[in-house]
Each structure stands twice: as C-alpha cells, then as structure tokens.
Amino acid sequence: MERNRATAGGADAAELAGLSVEMLPARHGDGLWVEWGPDDDRRRMIIDGGTKAAFGYLQDKLNDLPSDHRHIDLLVVTHIDLDHIEAPIELLRTPVKGATIGDVWFNDYRHLQAGEQSVDRGGKQGEFLAALLEHREHSWNKAFAGGAVSVPETGPLPRHQLPGGLLITLLSPTPSKLEALTDDWKKAVDEADFSPGDRALAIQLLEQKMGPIAVTRGGADEAPRWGKDSSAANGTSIAFIAEYGNQRWLFAGDAHEDALREGLRRFAREAGDDDRVRLDGFKLPHHGSCNNLSPELLDLIECSHFLVSSNGAYHQHPDEACIQYLVERNADSPTRTHLAFNYRTEFTTRWLDDPNTTSTFDFDEKHQ
C-alpha cells in the first residue's frame, strides 16, 4: 500500500486509514503535524516544531485551517533542546488567531525530581516555555494530573486516549532519566542569572530576547556507535506509540536507546505481541543517529516505513550507517524499506538508486 502523498503545503504525509503524519521543514530539528479522524471531524497533535526560524511553517499550517477549526488536541514538547522547543515557544508567545490547545505535555524543572514534583542553553528555554504556559493559563500535563509525563520503572505503561480515538502509550522518559537532567538545567538557568521556577523573571528575560508577548555523524564504512547518546536532555524526551484504528506509529523524539528498547519490550508484553511490535511508521530518534538506535532495538519491531526529520545542518544527520542498516535488514523482505525525509540534502539523497528502498522528500534547500 502506498503510504505517502504530497499535501497542499508541499509537505509529505504518511496517511493510513484516516491517520496522517507530516514532517514540517523544521531545520535541523523536529516538527511533526499529526491528524486523525473523519474529514468532518479531524483531530490534531503537534510534536515539537523545530527551531525559531522554522516557526513560520507551523504558523502557516494553522493559518491554512478555517479560523473556527484551529484546535490542537495535544502539543507535545518532547524535551528542551533548541531544535525542538524554540518553535513551540514562538507558538505560545505569538499565538495564531483562533488557535486553541487542549493539553500540553512538557516536563519542566519541577518535574525532574524523581519524575514527581518537580546541556546547553536548553534549561533556559525550558523556563521560558514553562513561564508562557502559566502566563497563558494553558492546560499542562493534564493527562498526568499536572505531574511529570513519565514512565514508572515497573507496572503498566501509561496510556491516554485523545479525542477522536487516538491511543497513546508512553515509552519514555523514566524518572531516572528526568532526574539526570536536574544539574544541567539548573546550571543553564544560573548562568542566565535567575532561578528555576522564577516565572516573572523568565517572562521578562524572554521579552528582552524575543520581543513582547503578543496579547492573546560518521560514514557507512565506520563502525556505528549504537546507543551511545549521553545527552541528559535527550534522555528526557517524551516518546510514545500512537494507535488509531489498526494503525500504530512510534514517535521517538530524541529518546535514549535503552529507554526505547525497554519501553518496546514492555509494550509487546502488554499488547500480547509475540516477539516484535508491529509498527506502520517509526519517526527515528535523534534524526536517524546511530547513538539512539541499535540492532537489538530494531529487532524488537516489525516496520518498513521510517521518517527522518532533519536538514543535516548540525551533526550531518542522519547517520549513513544507521539508514544503511535499516535498508539491509529488510533486503530479503517482500516489502521494501520506505524512507521519508523532510529535506532533500546530500545526507538524504544517497539512497535514491538503492533497489531495496523507496524514498520521498518534501522540501529542497530553499526551505532550510
């Protein structure tokens, strides 16, 4: 079955029985637009948004909707890295007219303490986003009673059903992954001369930086460094499986390999899957980096449709060795590996002539 189509905005979307997943041109980051439901009652989720420079594309998506149909059921900000969080900050700072949000999933500094109550420059951006959520009085982690969006070390995986029937099963982060970010977050905020949780000063600094708040890699011939991501911020990524009808997608943010691996094993046990989790699509973690994947993790899934979101400007993502491994492991399968990229770059076009793959690209370099 063909799983890709070009949408009105020129963006590629994988559409499966009423579920569509579109990668926006989010520069070197992630910006995913997910829709489900019948034509007369489409529901929507936004996952991250990319850098500040990519905000315009997210803004255009909302403006293209009728003014009375601009409701987002869920905004997920997976973690605090700038290539994921900056566009959501802009979305809350300068909201699109008529746009509303049902719930926002985002882990603030107060959620890092053992995953209950409570890197680089990301900690400061995390404070900015948290301050905006309170300033705008948005629903925030409502599905988790205001607590951390996290997976307990034992017991059932958290599940939440969104309006319209999209079922989300959380795989990451665990409380220990959240707690590991505490020191880096506090250091980043201390260097900016304020304290975690100082919302008033965060708003003041945000306006000084961005203006007033609107009213209202390695090559394929090198040994892959599988599962070696040590970034505490990436480790806090909110990753989940979304199910609609008989379709199942994994949205991995920049989550660590070990968290995804353990989450998939738990999901398989709870879902009654024999040995592999069947997926219709997998948004690869950390833009297709070997550091966030492994052969052991990939052995836990049955999937031939992979999404890579990045223009490769930083770290030359995706890793050639990672994508080549995905292609080769499916070489004997009757279903060819399908690779969906949101950018056509030197790092993504090398598989065009591979007889074992099909590839789609949404944006050329003018969108970078």
Side-chain angles (χ1 to χ4, degrees), residues 259-297:
L260 290 173
R261 181 162 32 88
E262 179 57 25
L264 284 166
R265 285 174 175 155
R266 292 169 67 176
F267 184 93
R269 290 194 299 269
E270 295 176 18
D273 291 359
D274 291 335
D275 51 3
R276 287 185 167 189
V277 175
R278 180 195 58 78
L279 297 173
D280 293 283
F282 183 5
K283 200 293 295 184
L284 295 177
H286 207 198
H287 323 288
S289 170
C290 288
N291 288 329
N292 300 73
L293 288 167
S294 71
E296 292 78 13
L297 185 154

Side-chain angles (χ1 to χ4, degrees), residues 40-56:
D40 60 352
D41 187 25
R42 294 295 278 173
R43 318 299 301 201
R44 299 175 183 87
M45 169 172 60
I46 296 172
I47 306 173
D48 296 326
T51 65
K52 179 182 177 183
F55 169 62

Side-chain angles (χ1 to χ4, degrees), residues 308-361:
V308 179
S309 174
S310 179
N311 66 2
Y314 292 86
H315 311 299
Q316 292 77 56
H317 286 146
D319 285 348
E320 184 176 354
C322 174
I323 304 302
Q324 195 61 40
Y325 182 84
L326 292 174
V327 172
E328 291 174 355
R329 72 190 297 271
N330 275 357
D332 296 328
S333 170
T335 303
R336 288 194 294 174
T337 298
H338 182 83
L339 305 172
F341 303 99
N342 59 342
Y343 284 101
R344 180 185 292 270
T345 71
E346 62 178 300
F347 309 112
T348 60
T349 56
R350 58 193 67 183
W351 293 279
L352 274 174
D353 298 325
D354 193 310
N356 296 310
T357 71
T358 57
S359 302
T360 56
F361 307 87

